[in-house]
Structure formats: structure tokens, C-alpha cells
Amino acid sequence: MFEDLRDLYQQVILDRGRKPHHGRRLEVFDAEARGDNPMCGDRVQVFVRRDGEAVAEVGFEARGCAISIASADLMAEAVIGKTADEIAELTTAFTGMARTGNGGAPQLATLRPLAGVHEYPSRIKCATLPWMALKAAMAGKGNASSE
Amino acid sequence: MFEDLRDLYQQVILDRGRKPHHGRRLEVFDAEARGDNPMCGDRVQVFVRRDGEAVAEVGFEARGCAISIASADLMAEAVIGKTADEIAELTTAFTGMARTGNGGAPQLATLRPLAGVHEYPSRIKCATLPWMALKAAMAGKGNASSE
Amino acid sequence: MNAISKPAFDVARIRADFPILAEKIRGKDLVFLDSAASAQKPRVVIDAMVHAMEHQYANVHRGLHWMSERTTEAYEDVRDSIARLLNAPDRSNIVITANSTASFNLVAQSYGRSVLKPGQAVLISQMEHHANLVPWQMLRDASGVELRIAPITDAGELDMAAYEALLADGKVGLVSVTHMSNVLGTYTPAERIIQIAHAHGARVMLDASQSVVHRRIDVQALDVDFLAFTGHKLYGPTGIGVLYAKRELLEAMPPVNGGGDMISSVSYERSTWAQVPHKFEAGTPAILEGIGLNAAIKYVEAIGFDAIAAHEATLTEHALARLSAIEGLTIIGHPQDRGGVISFTLKGAHAHDVATLLDRQGIAVRAGHHCAEPLMHRLGLESTARASFGLYTTMAEIDALADTLDQVRVFFK
Amino acid sequence: MNAISKPAFDVARIRADFPILAEKIRGKDLVFLDSAASAQKPRVVIDAMVHAMEHQYANVHRGLHWMSERTTEAYEDVRDSIARLLNAPDRSNIVITANSTASFNLVAQSYGRSVLKPGQAVLISQMEHHANLVPWQMLRDASGVELRIAPITDAGELDMAAYEALLADGKVGLVSVTHMSNVLGTYTPAERIIQIAHAHGARVMLDASQSVVHRRIDVQALDVDFLAFTGHKLYGPTGIGVLYAKRELLEAMPPVNGGGDMISSVSYERSTWAQVPHKFEAGTPAILEGIGLNAAIKYVEAIGFDAIAAHEATLTEHALARLSAIEGLTIIGHPQDRGGVISFTLKGAHAHDVATLLDRQGIAVRAGHHCAEPLMHRLGLESTARASFGLYTTMAEIDALADTLDQVRVFFK
Ligand SMILES: Cc1ncc(COP(=O)(O)O)c(C=O)c1O
Ligand SMILES: Cc1ncc(COP(=O)(O)O)c(C=O)c1O
């Protein structure tokens, strides 16, 4: 019945939405921030541990839909080893992909399963919310809102 | 050009609107009240001198259109010699005529030129404003509003 | 259920009155189960607004010309219709606002800041929409009026014993509660709520945003002090809401907004206010919206609340039966007296994902906290999916919802 | 007047866009000269609202389904259009309100009660509409902010020397003045007003209710702090207004109304607000009205403000010439920079009587104090008749007005 939704709900999204690999508070972290989507109540808290210039580990606690949890989980993997500047660039690329569906850039490879959200205007924020929280954490701010 | 307006602007209304016979503050009076039409800024102040139970004289100061001034002037004449109860009754009859055009009652004879206002919803209040002020004066209230 | 004893209600004929119901969503028939958020508009409402814009329009109240006089009559007629709908004593009991939210803010800012005193309390319930919560919270924070919360039971009903206990100390000046929950579908026992409040010296405001759509409300029989509803849920346009209040309360309340149309006279030193209800209506009113809402009220009255309530009861009964048969689906709240608003969760699937999957089949439901975050908290939930019914909802649409939900369950298993 | 140097403006084609202009009043052609009170609606506005109600409608902002997503896009697009119309830096500078009056009350109640302090002053002018007077008066009476009045000259212009003198003591925190008088037609020198105010540390709010209809406004070039206008005068629907404000001001201002849509999170203890501009927009917004206003703005932009201003100038020039030739007719105010709003009195005839006689010939003008009682007082008048022009006004209509007024004069002689 939902064959045309497989674009949005690819298997990796269903899997990660159900059982995220990084869905936990880090025991030791250097930065953290919360992201809220006031319109639907989704919330994600992101924890970042650094190793010198680079990010060593990311964990998160979230309440939300499959899209937002899978997005947080794939993000946690994608940013490991990256510097703040590299992460800022990736965030821009990801946000662009979520809005337009255009996920051609090589660095988006593992995040590409989320490109399908661009067809669902109200779901784009689900995918970008963890990235907003990560951005806030990297900038030393406590909170981000998806509005 | 305005032949069809002669119903509303009968000669007596034009005359009285221009040169009212009773348009003055009484030197001695027992009661007075002000009537305001907040929507257009018309205002009439009515002064009443009594002689026992009956009204001996009515005067008024007004700013307003031909209809409201003529109405005040005809009212001042119509109520002389009448008791409070008779005036209350006449007020009801007049208001009814202004709303419906039905001016059959004999006591309305001299007021009948104002029956034409019923076709002009926004002008009905011009005709009834002095009567509202008189009612307030008779009741010992200082103010009336045409709303 | 005895079909014979119910008033005739021809849903096919009613659907034909709503042009939008013929729409397709991505090739699928629209199944609109989001009427509690905002209802669709019947042809007569559209026509009334178009007629005004095409044939009879000008600003109201101050014009001496034909267009203005006629538009004033057409607009002001909605006040009579609202008074009739609610059985209000008089048209002057009806204040036109922008929506329900504006009606609550008006009472909180006018009555709340002048008649209520620090030390007094406002009592709301645990199942209020933010519109009947945040204004009182802002009042509390600005003026020291206490805010009390009456709990609900696990079934999703107002806990009447706790409610009465919260009134016991006589400090509550105003009770403001919903007449029908937009999340649980619960109808609250307005008559008893009001009797108990009055016995304790408190005034009562009812949030009729949901209830006015489904049931006849008689403000005089209820003896309610304030009541709010919103045009767009009653099949009318957006941009217009209603506040009913007893005359003596309106008289005692200061205006909140200043400007044209609400004054009697203006000078720099001192202005005086127009009579009730106009002193609460500053500026050019929602003229076209009043004309549209008037048509909506007349439309609903012509169908009749007996027929509407019976239709709603039939739909709700069927929906509860079908939905509760779905594996992993939990219906939220089991109130005795309930209407056509049903919240649910589905195991293994977040409400947003449920809504997106349903939407792919053309089925519109709402998902989220439904502007009632503290209620969600009380229920131990973050969000629910919600299906809600209107005049035009059919049994077949409820079947489509249930059948599709069963597939959603499989998808996320 | 040089027709060749002016942008093409085909009034006949424009009139065809406004269905109501084909109406007859008691058998006579409608001559609608009351656009300053409220303008008529072009076909595109009617169609946009009908299209929404017939094909694409649901509540906005919170819906995850197709109808809600599409309606949200259609509604929110008006914010971009308004930002473009005013050359605002960003869509978040645009707060949607119910009308101009609501925009003034919002600033008075939020900025006025929090940023302005007792001892500071608000400065308005002698030619303000009640909408830009009563809210400040209520603020003065509630919170001890002083209210100052800048005088006008006999010509009906702001007295700039007196204006500057009133700012001299540095106590004025906010200047709030009209950009175009709804009585005299005067355009005020907004740029200088703002420069002078800023030099004295005061913020400036402009009442653009009248001006936005006729001239291009550039809020960034003006460096204005707040600006208000109302949808129904700009050929849009009733029930919607606009407040433009600088971002840092909106950030600093507390919300006035609480409820849904304006929150970030809600708990009984404490709620947090949505980001600017949403924190000022409580409850279901004027969805259909936003869609209608968007169509109106696009319509006006397509015609272009150069063409509109030229048309208005031509009409005004002709009207001033024709009316001033009528015996006993006095035009009120002779400002240098003026637009298509002309107030006048006729010797021996009260303005109401003039309006009624004109109405009999199908000519709609306004009569009264035009929601500007203190201005009437300054002018030594009780009321005036007022003719005002829109996009669709023709030279022939102005001739009809002048010819009929000459007959009115005879009637009352
Ligand atoms: C100059 C001016 N300001 C404010 C207003 C108020 O507009 P509204 O009644 O739509 O709030 C008007 C029109 O009535 C006006 O002409
Ligand atoms: C119970 C209840 N109260 C209040 C409201 C607020 O209505 P509005 O947004 O039209 O002000 C709603 C709907 O949103 C509601 O369901």
C-alpha cells in the first residue's frame, strides 16, 4: 500500500528510527544542546565529545518520529573525525538536500537516504532538527529551535 | 434632481433645520440632558422647564444635520403641556414611526414630516436623538447615546 | 443504535454542499478527518462572502450611503444569529473577536486585571487548549492572580471531587474550562460545573470552541458567565471569533483595545467608550467574516443540532469500535460523554509517521500535542494522532481510516 | 499635466477587475468615493479566497497532511509579499494582526508597557485617526507615560518647528504619526520626521493605513521603527492588518496575547515563546484573509506604484479644481504634498445631509468626524464630507460629484 513512501521511509530509516546506534547520553562530553520543534513537540538533545580540533563522538537523546531519530543517528556517524568548519559545511549541504532533494555531493553519501523528505514540507524540520541542535552545541549555545 | 428626496426633506424640515424656533438654552430650567451620536458626532442638549406635572417649555442647543435639528424643534413644540407619561408614550410612537414610516397615530400629526427617515437607516438616529435626550432629561439622567 | 428514531440526515446531500470534498490528494479521494483543527466551508458561506465582495460592500457603522448602510445591516445580522444560536438574552451580549484565543485574552486582560484581585484565583482544568491556559498564566505572572489546575481522571474526565475541593476556600473568582476537549473528545458536565462554581462565588467561562459545532448550547439555561468560540471550526471563515458574556459583566469591564468604533467621544484629556458590546470592538470589524459566519450559522441551524449530534454519535461509536480492534492501537481517554474527536497512539510508530502514511492515502489527521502540552504530560505522552469528524464525515471514511491504519501498523512492524 | 510622461494606466481595464463597480444604486450608477474608509475588492482577491475555500484549505502550521501543508505555504506567502511591498529586511519583521488598530494597540501594550517608562513621552500629531490616539491615551492613563500632541498648521501640515521643539527635552521615547491623513489628505514628511526623532533618541511608528495604498514605502530607506497598515484599504479582505517592526524591537517586546501558535513550550509553571514574529500571533491566524491580502498586494504591485501615484495626482488635481469652483464649498486643508482624500464643507448644508443627497444619485462619500474628533476640534468643525479615490476612480466620477454638489447647494439654499 505504501510503495510510494519507500523513498521517504527507506529501510535504513526504519531501522535506525527503531534502533538508533548512537541514541544515548555520552558519559563524558564537551558540549551539548537541545533542539525543539515547537509545532509538533519533537525534541533532541545532542552530546559532543571532542578530540583536539575534531569531534570524537556524538550521542543523543530524542523523542520524535522515525525521520528525526534516524537523522540524528546518521548525523552522529557522519560527523565523527570532522572539525567544526567541516561540520558547518556538512550542515549546510544536508539542509540544502533536505529542502531540495539534491544530494549529489560526495560527503552526503551516508545521509542520502534522508533526501526523500524534501517532498514533505512539514517533515523537513524533522530531518534538520538534530543538525540544528548540533550546530548550537558546536557554537556553545544551549538551545536551538526548528522554526 | 432631488425630487425623490422631498419625502425626507419636506419644506418644514428644511425651514426648521435652517431656523429652528426653539434652538436656545432656557434661562430657567428644571431638567436638561445631552444626547450624543458617537458614530457621526451629532450632539443635542435639551432643556426642560416644568409647570406642575406638565412641561411648560423646551429649548435645545444642537450641532447636527437638518433632520436632527428639525426633529428637535418639532419635538419642542409637540411636548408642551404634556405630562411625563404622555411624553413617554409620544416618544415610543415617534420612534416607531421613524423606524417603520407608520405615522398614523393622531398625536404624531405635527411630527409626521419626519416619517420619511425610515427609508434611510443611518438617518433614523438623527431624528430620534433629541427624543433620547429628552427622555434622559425627564428621567433625571444627564446623558443619552443614540447607539 | 436505532436508525429510525434518528432525524433524517443525508450525508451525501451535505457533502455536495462542500466543494472541497471533491478534491483528490495525489490521485486519492480526500478523507478529511481534521475538522477539529478547522472545518471546511459550505457553498453558502463562500457565496455569502463572494456576494458581499461583488455586490454589496463598504465600511460599516459610520457610512451614510447605500453600500455602507446595507453592509452594516448584513454584518450586524451575525450578532443576532449568534445570540439565537446560543440563546443569549440580547445581541449586546455578543462581542465579535478575532478567534477563540482572542476571546480568552480579552477576558483575561479586561476582567482578569480589573475585577479579579491578587489573592483571588483562576481555576482551569488539566485538559485545556493553550488558548485557555496561556492567557491566565500571563495574568498570573503580571498581576498575582493565582492559577489552579483541576485534575482529570484516567478516563479523561474532569475529576469533580477534586474540582469542588479546589473551590472550597472561596478564593476562586473565575473557573475557565473546556466544554469539549479537542484531544480526548470529552464533553464536560457544564451545568454541574457552573452550579458548583456559582455556589462557591466563582464566575464560569466555557471554551465552546469544539462543543458549539456539535451540540445546542443554551447560555441562559446553563447560566454561564462567559463563553468563547471560533468561526472557522463552525464551518465559517477564519479571522472571526465570539465572546458571549452576561451584560453586567461586560458593563463592568474596561475596554482592552482603543481606536475607532469603540468610542463615544474623544478628546486628548479624556475619551468615553461606546456602549456594550462595541466598546470591546476597536477598528474596522471583520465585515466579510461576519457575513460568512452568519451564513455558516444559518446553515448549521437548518440542518439542526439533533441531527448533527445523532450523526456524530453514530460516527464516533463506529470509529471507536473499528479503531480499538486494531492491534497495537491505543485510544486515549474513555470518557462517558464524548464526541467525534479521537486521539490514539500506534505501537512502534510515532504519530507523525502515522500521519504521513495516512496522508499518502489522502487521509488527513492531525499529529502532535494539539496545543495541549500539559495534557500530554498528564497522559505520559509526547504526541498522539487525532481523527476528528464533521457534518460531512461518512462511515466509509472511518472504514478507510481503520483499514489504512492496519497497513501502517504492518509497515512499521 | 503631461499625459505622455506618465506610465500607462488604463482605468477602464482596472474597473473591469472590480465586479462591484457595475452595481446600480436605486437605478443610478454607483460612484464609489469612499475608498479611504474601505476599498473595493478586485476579482483576483475574490478568486484567491474562493479557491482556498473550494480547493485547498485546512488549519496551518501544525498539520502534517497535504491540505495543511499547502494551506500553510499559501498563507505564509503573504508575509513575503508584505516584506517585499515595504522592502522590509526579512519576513520575520512582519507581524500579522487584525487591522491597523490592532497593530497600534499591540505596540502600545507591548512596547509601551515594557520599554517605555513613566516619565517618558509618546508624541502624536493633531491629525491622527483615533486608532493612533486612543491606545496611547489608554497607555498614559494606565502607566504614566506622558502623551504629547504636535500641532498642525492652518494649511493642514505638521508644524515641524513645534514638532522638533516637543522633542527637545529628550523625554519622548516614541513618535507615532500618520503618514497620510485620512481627513486632509496630507502626506507627512516621513523621512524628516524620522531623522529628527532619531536625533532626539525617539523611535518612530508610522500610520501607513492610507499611504500604503498610494505610494511605495521603503521601510529601510525611511529607517522607520514601526509601521502599521490594514488589509481592507489595500483592496484586500477585512480581518487582517500588518505591523512592521525592526527585528531588535520585536525581540525585546513581550507578547500581548497568549495561546496556540505563539508558544515554544508550555507547562503550568512557565511557558516560552515562539520566535519573532510568531510570538505576537496567538491562535488560528486569518488564513483566508492572508491569502486574499496576498492576491491584493500582487495586484497592486502589477499595476505599479508609479502609475498609481500618477493616477491619484491627476484625479486629485482635477477634483480640487472642480470642487473649489463650487459656491459656498470650502476645501479643508491645503497641504503642499497631498493625496486623493478631500474633505469639504458646504455652506448651509450639514455634511450628513450632503451625503444623503449625494447618495440619492448613487454617489458614496463619507460624512462625520472620520474617527478624528480632536482634529475636527482643531479645525473648528463638527464634521466634514469626504470624497476619497481609489485605483478605479475616474475623472467622470469626479465630475459627477462636482455637478451633483452644485445641485445640493441649490437644494439647501
Ligand atoms: C489613517 C488611519 N489610521 C488607522 C485607521 C484604522 O484602520 P482599521 O479600522 O482597519 O484598524 C484608518 C481607517 O479607518 C485610517 O484612515
Ligand atoms: C478547545 C479549543 N479551544 C481553543 C481553540 C483555539 O481556537 P482559535 O485558534 O481559533 O483561537 C481551539 C482550536 O484551535 C480548541 O480546539
Side-chain angles (χ1 to χ4, degrees):
Chain A
M1 182 173 233
F2 300 111
E3 277 324 304
D4 45 2
L5 271 163
R6 289 288 165 194
D7 250 17
L8 181 62
Y9 291 101
Q10 300 193 13
Q11 198 56 44
V12 57
I13 291 181
L14 290 176
D15 292 346
R16 297 296 187 107
R18 218 174 279 134
K19 288 206 178 68
H21 300 175
H22 307 274
R24 63 179 174 275
R25 190 185 186 89
L26 299 187
E27 296 194 358
V28 186
F29 56 87
D30 302 298
E32 57 99 26
R34 202 175 92 182
D36 275 297
N37 183 340
M39 287 311 169
C40 64
D42 276 5
R43 171 170 299 173
V44 58
Q45 189 145 13
V46 170
F47 306 90
V48 178
R49 185 165 58 79
R50 288 209 183 83
D51 183 5
E53 288 288 281
V55 162
E57 192 180 4
V58 168
F60 66 92
E61 284 179 349
R63 62 178 204 204
C65 58
I67 310 281
S68 66
I69 291 175
S71 179
D73 210 43
L74 294 174
M75 174 185 84
E77 277 167 24
V79 299
I80 286 173
K82 292 212 156 59
T83 65
D85 284 351
E86 287 164 349
I87 290 175
E89 205 185 296
L90 188 57
T91 303
T92 308
F94 179 82
T95 311
M97 178 183 80
R99 296 218 177 104
T100 64
N102 186 342
Q107 82 230 67
L108 290 171
T110 60
L111 304 169
R112 217 163 279 149
L114 286 156
V117 293
H118 83 276
E119 281 185 44
Y120 301 81
S122 59
R123 306 305 301 275
I124 294 171
K125 286 175 182 173
C126 305
T128 55
L129 185 63
W131 291 87
M132 296 300 109
L134 178 63
K135 193 173 171 184
M138 299 298 290
K141 293 193 192 143
N143 282 303
S145 167
S146 73
E147 271 178 289
Chain B
M1 186 172 229
F2 300 111
E3 277 324 305
D4 44 3
L5 270 163
R6 288 288 165 194
D7 249 17
L8 181 62
Y9 292 101
Q10 301 193 11
Q11 197 56 43
V12 56
I13 291 181
L14 291 176
D15 293 345
R16 297 296 187 108
R18 219 173 277 136
K19 288 206 177 71
H21 301 176
H22 306 273
R24 62 178 175 275
R25 190 184 185 91
L26 299 188
E27 296 194 359
V28 186
F29 56 86
D30 303 299
E32 56 100 27
R34 202 175 90 182
D36 275 297
N37 183 341
M39 287 310 169
C40 64
D42 275 4
R43 170 171 300 174
V44 58
Q45 191 145 12
V46 170
F47 306 89
V48 179
R49 185 166 58 78
R50 287 209 182 81
D51 183 4
E53 288 289 281
V55 163
E57 191 179 5
V58 168
F60 66 91
E61 285 179 348
R63 63 177 204 204
C65 58
I67 310 280
S68 66
I69 291 175
S71 179
D73 210 44
L74 295 174
M75 175 185 83
E77 276 167 24
V79 299
I80 287 172
K82 292 215 157 56
T83 65
D85 283 351
E86 287 164 349
I87 290 176
E89 206 184 295
L90 188 58
T91 303
T92 308
F94 179 82
T95 311
M97 179 183 79
R99 295 219 178 103
T100 63
N102 187 342
Q107 82 230 65
L108 291 171
T110 60
L111 304 170
R112 219 163 280 151
L114 286 156
V117 292
H118 84 276
E119 281 185 44
Y120 301 81
S122 59
R123 306 304 302 275
I124 295 171
K125 287 174 182 173
C126 305
T128 55
L129 184 64
W131 291 86
M132 297 298 109
L134 178 63
K135 192 173 170 184
M138 300 297 291
K141 293 193 190 140
N143 281 303
S145 168
S146 74
E147 268 180 289
Chain C
M1 218 169 37
N2 178 348
I4 294 168
S5 70
K6 287 193 183 131
F9 188 91
D10 183 348
V11 73
R13 200 176 45 72
I14 285 173
R15 288 180 72 81
D17 295 335
F18 289 81
I20 204 170
L21 298 179
E23 289 296 302
K24 300 262 177 204
I25 304 297
R26 304 194 189 86
K28 309 254 161 63
D29 285 340
L30 169 65
V31 176
F32 189 76
L33 300 175
D34 195 21
S35 290
S38 197
Q40 299 299 345
K41 318 305 171 202
R43 167 67 52 211
V44 287
V45 169
I46 302 170
D47 285 352
M49 295 176 76
V50 168
H51 180 266
M53 290 190 270
E54 287 188 350
H55 300 292
Q56 199 191 81
Y57 177 79
N59 209 331
V60 296
H61 293 156
R62 287 157 303 191
L64 300 168
H65 55 79
W66 193 94
M67 281 288 175
S68 178
E69 289 178 340
R70 295 308 172 291
T71 309
T72 303
E73 280 168 14
Y75 167 70
E76 280 292 333
D77 192 50
V78 74
R79 228 185 280 275
D80 294 309
S81 290
I82 297 165
R84 192 179 58 240
L85 177 75
L86 301 177
N87 191 31
D90 191 74
R91 66 197 311 280
S92 67
N93 296 103
I94 308 302
V95 180
I96 310 276
T97 66
N99 50 27
S100 281
T101 306
S103 301
F104 283 103
N105 280 282
L106 199 170
V107 177
Q109 289 168 31
S110 175
Y111 189 82
R113 291 193 197 174
S114 64
V115 180
L116 296 179
K117 304 290 174 214
Q120 283 196 290
V122 171
L123 176 59
I124 65 172
S125 89
Q126 248 174 355
M127 57 180 160
E128 300 310 323
H129 187 282
H130 293 161
N132 188 24
L133 162 54
V134 182
W136 308 117
Q137 203 168 33
M138 290 167 77
L139 173 67
R140 174 192 69 189
D141 296 346
S143 79
V145 167
E146 189 193 341
L147 180 58
R148 294 185 184 178
I149 317 292
I152 58 169
T153 65
D154 289 340
E157 295 173 323
L158 188 62
D159 180 335
M160 292 302 287
Y163 166 69
E164 190 153 6
L166 283 163
L167 287 158
D169 66 5
K171 287 193 179 164
V172 175
L174 180 70
V175 170
S176 188
V177 290
T178 193
H179 195 203
M180 177 182 179
S181 164
N182 65 310
V183 178
L184 306 171
T186 313
Y187 285 108
T188 56
E191 217 156 293
R192 273 183 63 212
I193 289 172
I194 293 163
Q195 277 164 7
I196 293 170
H198 285 176
H200 290 84
R203 300 283 187 174
V204 178
M205 177 159 193
L206 279 186
D207 182 352
S209 306
Q210 295 293 338
S211 60
V212 75
V213 182
H214 305 290
R215 292 193 176 178
R216 175 162 296 294
I217 292 175
D218 183 330
V219 291
Q220 294 190 80
L222 286 172
D223 196 24
V224 68
D225 302 289
F226 300 98
L227 180 141
F229 73 87
T230 193
H232 66 92
K233 296 190 205 272
L234 191 58
Y235 310 102
T238 47
I240 187 164
V242 172
L243 172 66
Y244 161 83
K246 287 183 180 161
R247 177 76 187 227
E248 72 264 25
L249 297 171
L250 291 178
E251 297 283 0
M253 286 158 59
V256 171
N257 278 359
D261 248 33
M262 59 69 74
I263 56 95
S264 172
S265 69
V266 174
S267 70
Y268 295 129
E269 299 68 41
R270 187 168 161 272
S271 298
T272 58
W273 313 136
Q275 298 192 342
V276 163
H278 299 286
K279 79 173 171 187
F280 298 106
E281 300 175 353
T284 300
I287 301 169
L288 298 168
E289 295 69 22
I291 288 169
L293 180 58
N294 198 6
I297 291 172
K298 288 175 179 172
Y299 179 76
V300 166
E301 286 179 328
I303 295 174
F305 279 98
D306 290 344
I308 292 171
H311 179 62
E312 187 195 25
T314 310
L315 291 170
T316 306
E317 200 175 326
H318 184 63
L320 289 172
R322 286 285 331 249
L323 294 185
S324 54
I326 294 169
E327 196 189 318
L329 189 147
T330 307
I331 290 170
I332 310 302
H334 295 279
Q336 292 266 314
D337 189 9
R338 70 164 305 149
V341 172
I342 303 179
S343 275
F344 57 89
T345 58
L346 191 61
K347 201 160 159 261
H350 190 278
H352 298 173
D353 297 317
V354 172
T356 295
L357 267 73
L358 291 174
D359 180 47
R360 264 279 141 175
Q361 303 303 314
I363 303 173
V365 301
R366 196 135 288 234
H369 56 52
H370 314 292
C371 292
E373 268 191 71
L375 172 58
M376 288 292 134
H377 198 244
R378 159 69 178 84
L379 298 168
L381 297 169
E382 293 148 18
S383 63
T384 70
R386 182 189 74 183
S388 57
F389 314 141
L391 282 174
Y392 35 66
T393 306
T394 65
M395 302 294 256
E397 288 181 312
I398 288 169
D399 289 335
L401 171 68
D403 294 344
T404 312
L405 276 173
D406 206 47
Q407 297 292 318
V408 173
R409 180 186 61 78
V410 173
F411 187 88
F412 280 108
K413 198 155 68 181
Chain D
M1 218 169 36
N2 178 347
I4 293 167
S5 70
K6 286 193 183 130
F9 187 91
D10 182 349
V11 72
R13 199 176 47 71
I14 285 172
R15 288 181 71 82
D17 294 335
F18 290 81
I20 204 170
L21 298 179
E23 288 296 304
K24 301 261 177 204
I25 305 297
R26 304 194 190 86
K28 308 253 160 63
D29 286 340
L30 169 64
V31 175
F32 189 76
L33 300 175
D34 195 21
S35 290
S38 196
Q40 298 300 345
K41 318 306 171 200
R43 167 68 51 214
V44 288
V45 169
I46 303 170
D47 285 351
M49 295 176 76
V50 169
H51 180 265
M53 291 191 269
E54 288 188 350
H55 299 293
Q56 199 192 82
Y57 178 79
N59 210 331
V60 295
H61 292 156
R62 286 157 303 191
L64 300 168
H65 56 79
W66 194 93
M67 280 288 174
S68 178
E69 289 177 340
R70 294 308 173 288
T71 309
T72 303
E73 280 168 14
Y75 167 70
E76 281 291 334
D77 192 50
V78 75
R79 226 185 280 276
D80 293 310
S81 290
I82 297 165
R84 191 178 60 240
L85 177 75
L86 301 177
N87 191 32
D90 191 74
R91 66 196 312 279
S92 66
N93 296 103
I94 308 303
V95 181
I96 309 278
T97 66
N99 49 27
S100 281
T101 306
S103 300
F104 285 103
N105 280 282
L106 198 170
V107 176
Q109 289 169 30
S110 174
Y111 189 81
R113 290 192 197 172
S114 64
V115 181
L116 295 180
K117 305 290 174 214
Q120 283 196 290
V122 171
L123 175 59
I124 65 172
S125 89
Q126 248 175 354
M127 59 180 159
E128 300 311 323
H129 188 281
H130 292 161
N132 188 24
L133 162 54
V134 183
W136 308 116
Q137 204 168 33
M138 291 168 76
L139 174 67
R140 174 193 69 190
D141 296 346
S143 78
V145 168
E146 188 193 342
L147 180 59
R148 294 186 184 177
I149 318 292
I152 58 170
T153 65
D154 289 340
E157 295 174 323
L158 189 61
D159 180 336
M160 293 301 287
Y163 167 70
E164 188 153 7
L166 282 163
L167 286 158
D169 66 5
K171 286 194 181 164
V172 174
L174 180 69
V175 170
S176 189
V177 291
T178 193
H179 195 204
M180 176 182 179
S181 164
N182 65 310
V183 178
L184 306 172
T186 314
Y187 285 107
T188 56
E191 216 156 291
R192 272 183 63 214
I193 289 172
I194 293 163
Q195 277 164 8
I196 294 171
H198 285 176
H200 290 85
R203 299 283 187 174
V204 178
M205 177 158 193
L206 279 187
D207 182 353
S209 305
Q210 295 293 339
S211 60
V212 75
V213 181
H214 306 290
R215 293 194 175 178
R216 175 161 296 293
I217 293 175
D218 183 331
V219 291
Q220 294 190 80
L222 286 172
D223 196 23
V224 68
D225 301 290
F226 300 98
L227 180 141
F229 73 87
T230 192
H232 65 94
K233 295 190 205 272
L234 191 58
Y235 310 101
T238 47
I240 187 164
V242 171
L243 171 66
Y244 161 83
K246 286 184 180 160
R247 176 78 187 225
E248 72 265 25
L249 297 172
L250 291 177
E251 298 283 1
M253 285 159 59
V256 171
N257 279 358
D261 247 34
M262 58 69 75
I263 56 95
S264 172
S265 68
V266 174
S267 70
Y268 294 129
E269 299 69 40
R270 188 168 162 273
S271 298
T272 58
W273 313 135
Q275 298 191 344
V276 164
H278 298 286
K279 78 174 171 187
F280 298 106
E281 299 174 355
T284 300
I287 301 169
L288 298 168
E289 294 71 22
I291 289 169
L293 179 58
N294 198 6
I297 291 172
K298 288 175 179 173
Y299 178 77
V300 167
E301 285 178 329
I303 295 173
F305 279 96
D306 289 344
I308 292 171
H311 179 63
E312 186 194 25
T314 310
L315 291 171
T316 305
E317 200 175 327
H318 184 62
L320 290 172
R322 287 286 331 250
L323 294 186
S324 53
I326 295 170
E327 195 191 317
L329 189 146
T330 307
I331 289 171
I332 310 301
H334 296 280
Q336 292 267 314
D337 189 9
R338 70 164 305 151
V341 172
I342 303 179
S343 274
F344 58 90
T345 57
L346 192 60
K347 202 158 158 261
H350 190 278
H352 298 173
D353 296 317
V354 172
T356 295
L357 266 74
L358 291 174
D359 181 47
R360 264 280 142 173
Q361 303 303 316
I363 303 172
V365 302
R366 195 134 290 233
H369 56 52
H370 314 294
C371 291
E373 269 192 71
L375 172 59
M376 288 292 133
H377 198 245
R378 160 68 178 84
L379 298 168
L381 297 169
E382 295 147 17
S383 62
T384 70
R386 181 190 74 183
S388 58
F389 314 140
L391 282 174
Y392 35 67
T393 305
T394 65
M395 302 294 255
E397 289 181 311
I398 288 169
D399 289 334
L401 170 69
D403 294 344
T404 312
L405 276 173
D406 207 47
Q407 298 292 316
V408 173
R409 179 186 62 79
V410 173
F411 187 88
F412 280 107
K413 198 155 66 181

